[in-house]
Amino acid sequence: MDNKRTTWFGILVAILLVVSLLGAFGCSKASSATSAAPASATSAAPAPSASAAPAASASSEAEVLKIGLVCNFSWTLGIDMIHSTRVLAALDNAAGGWDVGGKKYQVQFIEYDTNNNQNTETAAVNKLVFEDKVKFILFDNNLADACLPITEANKVIALEETPTPPCLMPTNHYSFEAAMINCQYAALPAYYAQKWPQYKTLIAALPDNQVGHAVESMIVNNFKLYGVTA
C-alpha cells in the first residue's frame, strides 16, 4: 500500500474515532472567528481548491466540533493530510454535518504547521488546548510524543498516525494510534531471505529522526531473525 493510501486510511479511522468519542466532550457554538497562530507556529496551510474548502454555513443553533490538526506543512504526507481533512470536512459539512445521537455538528479543523520542529509543535498544541479549547487533535507521525503530557493532563484525545511506545502506554488514557500498522517491515525480511538466501548483509539508508531510528530498530531486529545482518 502506498503512503497516500495509508494517510487517507489513517485520517478516515481518526475521524471515525473522533465521532465515537464525541458524546463525552463539549463543543462550541458556531462562530466566524478565525484563530490566530501562536508566535512559534503558523496556520497558513497550502491553499486548497475552492471545492476543498472546509467552511460551510451553519445555522445559529448548529454547534461546531473543533479539531486540531498539527503536522509538517513542508512534508509531502503532511500536505496530503491537510488537503485530505479539508476535503472530508467540506463533504461532511455540505451534507449537513455529523449526526451524533440525533444532533448535528459542523466540523472545523484548526491547522498548525510544526515545521518539523519540536518546540513549534509543542507551542501549537498548547494553543489548541488552552486557547482554541479543542478536545481532539490529529498528529502526523514525528513529534507528538512530547506533547502527550499536555493532552493527557487536559483530557484531550490525541490521535497519532504512528504507534509509538508513549502513544500506546496503558497509563495514557487519551492517546490513540489511528492509522493502520504497516506490516512491510516483517514481510520484507522473509521475502529477502527466501529470494536471496546467499546474501547475509544488508545496508539501509534512513533519515536521522524519530521515524528513521524506529525503522532502523525494526529492520535490524527483523532481518536478524533470518540470519541477516543489517
Side-chain angles (χ1 to χ4, degrees), residues 19 24 48 103-104 108 135 159 166 184 190-192 198 215 227:
V19 173
K103 190 171 185 177
K104 290 287 187 178
Q108 177 189 356
K135 284 298 183 181
L159 304 172
Q184 66 176 329
Y191 174 80
Y192 180 95
Q198 69 273 29
V215 172

Side-chain angles (χ1 to χ4, degrees), residues 161-178:
E161 187 180 338
T162 301
T164 61
C167 170
L168 301 179
M169 288 176 59
T171 52
N172 285 341
H173 303 297
Y174 298 91
S175 305
F176 299 90
E177 185 268 318

Side-chain angles (χ1 to χ4, degrees), residues 32-214:
S32 59
T34 302
S35 301
S40 54
T42 176
S43 56
S49 63
S51 62
S57 52
S59 69
S60 59
E61 297 302 317
E63 293 200 19
V64 173
L65 173 62
K66 294 181 178 180
I67 303 174
L69 176 61
V70 183
C71 64
N72 182 5
F73 291 2
S74 62
W75 187 36
T76 304
L77 293 181
I79 295 172
D80 180 52
M81 187 174 183
I82 296 165
H83 286 274
S84 299
T85 51
R86 287 179 178 178
V87 169
L88 292 171
L91 292 173
D92 286 337
N93 290 340
W98 288 350
D99 187 332
V100 182
K103 190 171 185 177
K104 290 287 187 178
Y105 295 87
Q106 292 283 300
V107 182
Q108 177 189 356
F109 282 98
I110 303 176
E111 306 162 345
Y112 290 113
D113 182 9
T114 69
N115 237 349
N116 200 33
N117 179 279
Q118 185 66 71
N119 291 333
T120 304
E121 175 151 332
T122 302
V125 170
N126 274 312
K127 188 171 191 306
L128 285 168
V129 172
F130 298 110
E131 295 184 38
D132 298 320
K133 304 295 183 182
V134 304
K135 284 298 183 181
F136 307 92
I137 300 178
L138 302 184
F139 291 92
D140 61 10
N141 54 340
N142 284 334
L143 305 171
D145 290 349
C147 300
L148 296 184
I150 302 171
T151 55
E152 285 290 320
N154 293 279
K155 299 182 179 180
V156 173
I157 302 298
L159 304 172
E160 291 192 51
E161 187 180 338
T162 301
T164 61
C167 170
L168 301 179
M169 288 176 59
T171 52
N172 285 341
H173 303 297
Y174 298 91
S175 305
F176 299 90
E177 185 268 318
M180 64 170 56
I181 298 176
N182 200 325
C183 63
Q184 66 176 329
Y185 300 111
L188 285 177
Y191 174 80
Y192 180 95
Q194 183 180 28
K195 187 77 173 178
W196 300 287
Q198 69 273 29
Y199 299 119
K200 299 299 181 181
T201 302
L202 175 74
I203 298 175
L206 301 163
D208 186 16
N209 58 26
Q210 181 184 5
V211 175
H213 296 166

Side-chain angles (χ1 to χ4, degrees), residues 1 3-14 178-181:
M1 180 175 290
N3 284 336
K4 176 164 281 193
R5 290 183 181 176
T6 301
T7 303
W8 269 93
F9 184 87
I11 292 169
L12 288 171
V13 173
M180 64 170 56
I181 298 176

Side-chain angles (χ1 to χ4, degrees), residues 165 184-190 193 202 204 206 212-230:
Q184 66 176 329
Y185 300 111
L188 285 177
L202 175 74
L206 301 163
H213 296 166
V215 172
E216 176 189 14
S217 176
M218 288 187 287
I219 288 177
V220 169
N221 290 322
N222 286 327
F223 272 95
K224 186 178 179 180
L225 295 173
Y226 296 93
V228 178
T229 300

